[in-house]
Amino acid sequence: MPNTTYIALIPLLPLAGFLLLGIFGRTYFKNTSGMIGTSLLLASTLLSLYTAYGYFFDYGKVNGVYQKLVPLQITWLEFSKGVSIDMGIILDPISVMMLVVVTFISLMVHIYSLAYLKGEERFPTYYAFLGLFTFSMLGLVISSNIFQIYIFWELVGVSSFLLIGYYYDRPSAVAACKKAFIVTRFADAGFLIGILILSYYSGTLDFNTLIQKLTNPESLELKAAVTASFLGISALTWGLVLVFIGGAGKSAMFPLHIWLPDAMEGPTPVSALIHAATMVVAGVFLVARLFPIFALSAPAALELVGYVGAISALIAAVIACTQTDIKRVLAYSTMSQIGYMMFALGVSKYGGEDGLGYTASMFHLFTHAMFKALLFLGAGAVIHYIHSNEMKDMGGLRKYLPITHITFLIACLAIAGVPPFAGFFSKEEILLAAYHHNTGIYYLALITSGLTAFYMFRLYFSIFWNKPAQVHGEHHGEGGFAMMMPLVLLALGAAAAGFIPFGHFVSSDGNRLNSAFHLNFSIAPVALGLAGIFFAMWLYKKQNDRPDKIAASLNGLYKAAYRKFYIDELYLFVTKKILFNLVGRPAAWFDKNVVDGLVNATGNTTEYISETIKGLQSGKVQQYAMYFLVGVIGLAVLFIYIWKF
Amino acid sequence: MMEPGLYHILFISATLFFIGVFGFFTRRNLITMLMSVELILNSVNLNFIAFNKYVWPNRLDGVFFTIFVIAIAAAEAATAIAIIINLYRSHHSIDVENAEEMKY
């Protein structure tokens, strides 16, 4: 293996950008900060492409198996000999793939934002935050131990918080960023406890050792973790389920998904980067990182992952069909697609042909990053043009935004699973894996894929067809080169990424996986997808009253889906009515009367005493001298006659 | 002619001390009060010298203390006079009873 310590530069360059722009940006780089951030990230992207090339084609493979390499390991916090927290870099197929995805999408978003946020007051701050996010996300994917991943996990959380709240003068953005932070933080508490359980039983934080110890059926650690049980479930399963809760919070899985739609208050490129392509797949990545333990030692936990993923996918798809804010439709679509990735992991087994789900999940992560970032950036271009998020303000835009229109169409075809676009291949693999291992999930996924095609084309036709365009005011075109180039590049990715033989590179055990292509199998999902597309076309291509009629005939269901199945209301009920009344108010009473009472009593006593004796300070110098003299005489008497030394 | 002993000097010192204390309490003029303080300090100096000479003639601690006291008395006089001048500028008087507003 050649010297690969330069990999540390990939996350450190965006960090340098963050520090530079965060500290000096607003004074010195008012207009150039975008270029600085973008060029640093370009360097990062080139380095990670070089790393990927080296890893996949040169030194990563030993005897046909991709190895987990650790090119850098630093003892960071040493508590005592042998007990330390390390910082390191791990190179394996998924981390290298994520390096490429994160840097590439981030670079596209950096370039796009040059035009999208031009002239903003806090332009340098925006680029500083983007740099912080990219640093944290890259650090997360190359973390070599579970504690390091937790640190970066929180860092992506905070940068997501900062970027959602970028427009901090809008109350809705402030509420959204708080909501995102609190919900994910709540889930992260589960993650932390999970880490503590896993590391307590395995005695290590390092991923390689952890996986080794907890998958080897002979090891004492695994036996201890399986025998210890709480509420009838083994400690190992508890640990993994808690870690998965952390992942589910970050990945917006049901029922912790409520923050994701609100997070759309952030600038659209941020939604593309953080809430579509990179941060929200961190949960999938985490499960994939610990996949051998899930698959070999705790199949129950993996089954939970599968069901949570499938249910989230279906619920989100149903809700997406009714939303009218285009970014919210995309947010629910993201949640649904991440659900796909999750249940693909959930139905997978470790190793060989049965590990297809794992490969499919990572493949879908890869292609989804392309087409979902493209969808968001396209939506950004539309919003930039029309100054509204609402579908009803749009329509007939295909003549005004030709490039956006074509790229958006490609992305929609990709997500709907129409061959030969990227989404088709990854979705086929996922469905195939589900079909072989869990038919229940397979049928849920099949319904979801039909719904996906329907709501994406509902979006597409509502924006670009439907009623004639009502463009008012000044025409400022599509947004120029900086906005169109990322769209075109991502469209190329969304169209062609499916032809990558992914199983050759990424598989659950590192071996080459030849995914066979079954023509007969793909008939059902593609047919459903096309049916969804044509149904959407029938409803939305021309303006008519069919959608309203259908909504009226499905009154109850439509309303429930439109109101997101009342999950937000449920959360509010639990927190406001139950928690606030039963816990919050008694605590407030105790604080007001007992804690504050003690503090106030101290203050009042002091005040009373000072009020009484303040007359002693009369301003008469000679009176002070008299006190002094009396005091001295008193002390003299005391020392001479009473204590008698 | 009798050689003056320790008690004579202590008597003078005590006299000076009480004159100083009396002056400090009865006078209202700040300059006079300052002078009284000097009297007190000098009575202490006399004590130091007397004890040094009659009780521990081989040591010099008392003399050193005296020198310290003189030096500090000089600094004290300078500070006090500066305060008095400032007081005069603002109150047009150096009567201590006219400067009673520095209180609670």
Side-chain angles (χ1 to χ4, degrees):
Chain A
M1 191 175 105
N3 181 12
T4 43
T5 38
Y6 69 86
I7 294 168
L9 273 182
I10 298 174
L12 289 181
L13 284 175
L15 177 67
F18 163 63
L19 293 176
L20 185 70
L21 298 179
I23 298 171
F24 302 112
R26 300 187 78 170
T27 28
Y28 298 111
F29 308 116
K30 197 94 195 143
N31 300 313
T32 52
S33 52
M35 289 317 290
I36 293 172
T38 311
S39 40
L40 282 171
L41 202 70
L42 181 66
S44 261
T45 312
L46 294 177
L47 278 177
S48 58
L49 284 174
Y50 178 68
T51 311
Y53 177 80
Y55 181 81
F56 282 124
F57 298 109
D58 185 10
Y59 50 79
K61 216 171 197 176
V62 178
N63 300 329
V65 181
Y66 281 112
Q67 304 293 310
K68 286 192 161 86
L69 306 175
V70 180
L72 189 69
Q73 183 90 344
I74 302 164
T75 306
W76 178 56
L77 271 183
E78 188 164 20
F79 298 111
S80 65
K81 269 269 166 277
V83 182
S84 64
I85 293 176
D86 296 348
M87 282 281 164
I89 294 177
I90 195 168
L91 282 190
D92 68 346
I94 54 170
S95 71
V96 175
M97 179 213 51
M98 286 299 285
L99 274 186
V100 174
V101 171
V102 173
T103 49
F104 178 66
I105 304 287
S106 182
L107 179 65
M108 292 301 111
V109 166
H110 271 76
I111 295 172
Y112 184 89
S113 308
L114 287 177
Y116 191 83
L117 286 156
K118 200 170 161 188
E120 287 273 347
E121 178 60 27
R122 295 168 73 225
F123 194 62
T125 319
Y126 174 80
Y127 271 93
F129 289 165
L130 275 191
L132 175 67
F133 171 75
T134 312
F135 157 70
S136 332
M137 193 65 208
L138 291 168
L140 192 153
V141 300
I142 58 174
S143 290
S144 72
N145 68 65
I146 197 164
F147 201 81
Q148 187 187 352
I149 216 171
Y150 183 70
I151 294 170
F152 284 107
W153 189 269
E154 295 300 337
L155 273 174
V156 290
V158 79
S159 34
S160 155
F161 165 79
L162 290 170
L163 283 166
I164 297 170
Y166 176 71
Y167 296 117
Y168 62 88
D169 47 355
R170 286 188 203 159
S172 58
V174 173
C177 71
K178 277 196 296 195
K179 187 171 176 183
F181 198 72
I182 291 168
V183 174
T184 53
R185 204 50 274 256
F186 180 72
D188 292 346
F191 185 18
L192 183 60
I193 301 169
I195 291 177
L196 294 178
I197 294 177
L198 289 183
S199 57
Y200 174 76
Y201 281 104
S202 64
T204 177
L205 292 168
D206 183 67
F207 276 127
N208 284 342
T209 338
L210 188 77
I211 290 172
Q212 221 166 37
K213 281 185 175 168
L214 291 183
T215 52
N216 177 8
E218 302 294 310
S219 79
L220 295 173
E221 286 87 357
L222 180 62
K223 280 179 187 151
V226 174
T227 4
S229 76
F230 178 67
L231 297 178
I233 296 167
S234 77
L236 180 67
T237 310
W238 270 115
L240 289 174
V241 166
L242 285 165
V243 168
F244 171 65
I245 288 177
K250 203 61 108 199
S251 285
M253 288 290 98
F254 176 81
L256 294 168
H257 64 275
I258 50 163
W259 65 271
L260 186 61
D262 289 19
M264 297 300 131
E265 287 295 337
T268 311
V270 167
S271 310
L273 175 62
I274 302 184
H275 307 116
T278 56
M279 187 191 82
V280 286
V281 297
V284 181
F285 179 81
L286 184 67
V287 176
R289 172 59 83 212
L290 296 171
F291 186 71
I293 309 179
F294 272 99
L296 295 175
S297 310
L302 196 59
E303 202 160 320
L304 178 77
V305 174
Y307 280 108
V308 169
I311 291 169
S312 308
L314 184 63
I315 287 184
V318 173
I319 298 176
C321 293
T322 59
Q323 298 300 306
T324 56
D325 178 324
I326 61 172
K327 284 184 75 184
R328 275 174 191 262
V329 174
L330 291 176
Y332 280 108
S333 151
T334 306
M335 177 183 159
S336 168
Q337 298 302 310
I338 295 168
Y340 263 92
M341 299 170 206
M342 279 289 184
F343 78 68
L345 286 174
V347 298
S348 180
K349 301 268 186 300
Y350 183 76
E353 283 291 309
D354 289 338
L356 178 65
Y358 180 89
T359 305
S361 170
M362 291 297 113
F363 191 18
H364 199 56
L365 193 160
F366 182 74
T367 56
H368 173 259
M370 298 286 170
F371 58 68
K372 189 49 68 67
L374 173 56
L375 284 170
F376 266 107
L377 294 184
V382 172
I383 293 168
H384 193 62
Y385 190 72
I386 210 116
H387 301 294
S388 164
N389 281 7
E390 285 297 320
M391 268 185 203
K392 64 176 182 333
D393 300 331
M394 300 167 187
L397 288 175
R398 65 185 183 282
K399 294 196 190 83
Y400 299 93
L401 302 169
I403 301 176
T404 315
H405 169 229
I406 296 297
T407 51
F408 204 86
L409 177 62
I410 291 174
C412 284
L413 288 171
I415 194 175
V418 174
F421 296 100
F424 166 71
F425 295 93
S426 49
K427 209 175 262 188
E428 284 315 295
E429 279 192 8
I430 290 181
L431 289 172
L432 193 61
Y435 183 71
H436 284 317
H437 297 289
N438 191 329
T439 9
I441 289 183
Y442 169 72
Y443 286 114
L444 284 180
L446 208 56
I447 299 169
T448 310
S449 85
L451 284 172
T452 309
F454 169 71
Y455 68 69
M456 284 320 299
F457 276 85
R458 168 176 177 259
L459 188 64
Y460 166 75
F461 285 116
S462 303
I463 297 176
F464 294 105
W465 297 74
N466 209 310
K467 50 187 173 271
Q470 1 155 294
V471 177
H472 21 246
E474 77 282 26
H475 293 254
H476 45 52
E478 269 195 280
F481 180 71
M483 269 168 83
M484 290 306 118
M485 189 190 72
L487 289 183
V488 172
L489 284 178
L490 285 168
L492 288 179
F499 292 103
I500 298 174
F502 218 70
H504 293 187
F505 302 118
V506 179
S507 65
S508 53
D509 53 0
N511 285 313
R512 186 186 174 104
L513 176 71
N514 286 312
S515 38
F517 183 73
H518 307 280
L519 189 64
N520 294 336
F521 179 77
S522 26
I523 291 174
V526 172
L528 260 176
L530 289 176
I533 294 173
F534 285 119
F535 188 53
M537 195 163 143
W538 181 65
L539 287 177
Y540 296 104
K541 190 172 174 193
K542 293 240 169 57
Q543 203 170 10
N544 57 49
D545 58 352
R546 287 176 212 140
D548 293 336
K549 271 187 192 158
I550 291 181
S553 68
L554 288 172
N555 194 7
L557 182 66
Y558 178 81
K559 220 170 179 180
Y562 183 71
R563 303 295 306 273
K564 303 149 201 161
F565 293 114
Y566 304 101
I567 293 166
D568 274 292
E569 281 80 358
L570 185 70
Y571 269 97
L572 280 182
F573 175 75
V574 170
T575 49
K576 281 213 168 129
K577 291 273 152 53
I578 298 178
L579 281 180
F580 284 11
N581 281 340
L582 291 185
V583 183
R585 281 179 210 284
W589 180 88
F590 183 83
D591 185 54
K592 254 182 223 151
N593 292 295
V594 180
V595 179
D596 284 8
L598 276 174
V599 175
N600 287 343
T602 320
N604 288 341
T605 317
T606 316
E607 197 189 352
Y608 173 75
I609 294 175
S610 355
E611 193 64 38
T612 327
I613 61 170
K614 76 173 179 187
L616 288 178
Q617 194 190 4
S618 58
K620 297 190 176 73
V621 181
Q622 282 163 332
Q623 211 173 50
Y624 300 164
M626 189 61 89
Y627 302 148
F628 177 73
L629 184 71
V630 171
V632 168
I633 291 171
L635 282 179
V637 169
L638 192 72
F639 285 135
I640 295 168
Y641 296 105
I642 299 179
W643 279 355
K644 285 191 190 148
F645 288 112
Chain B
M1 181 93 185
M2 195 178 78
E3 176 84 359
L6 178 61
Y7 288 103
H8 298 96
I9 298 174
L10 287 186
F11 179 77
I12 292 182
S13 158
T15 317
L16 268 180
F17 181 82
F18 282 107
I19 291 173
V21 170
F22 180 78
F24 191 80
F25 284 119
T26 52
R27 299 293 154 160
R28 295 288 178 262
N29 186 313
L30 273 172
I31 301 270
T32 328
M33 283 168 72
L34 180 64
M35 285 156 65
S36 312
V37 173
E38 296 296 329
L39 278 183
I40 296 170
L41 286 172
N42 281 318
S43 78
V44 174
N45 286 347
L46 268 181
N47 261 8
F48 272 123
I49 295 291
F51 282 121
N52 196 52
K53 179 173 163 63
Y54 290 103
V55 186
W56 284 289
N58 303 325
R59 299 171 63 171
L60 287 173
D61 306 32
V63 180
F64 286 143
F65 257 106
T66 309
I67 290 170
F68 273 125
V69 172
I70 291 170
I72 288 169
E76 176 250 332
T79 325
I81 287 171
I83 292 173
I84 292 167
I85 290 172
N86 270 313
L87 189 73
Y88 183 74
R89 281 189 186 152
S90 60
H91 287 68
H92 300 289
S93 145
I94 52 169
D95 194 318
V96 76
E97 287 188 338
N98 289 336
E100 278 179 11
E101 66 263 25
M102 282 192 288
K103 55 183 178 184
Y104 51 87

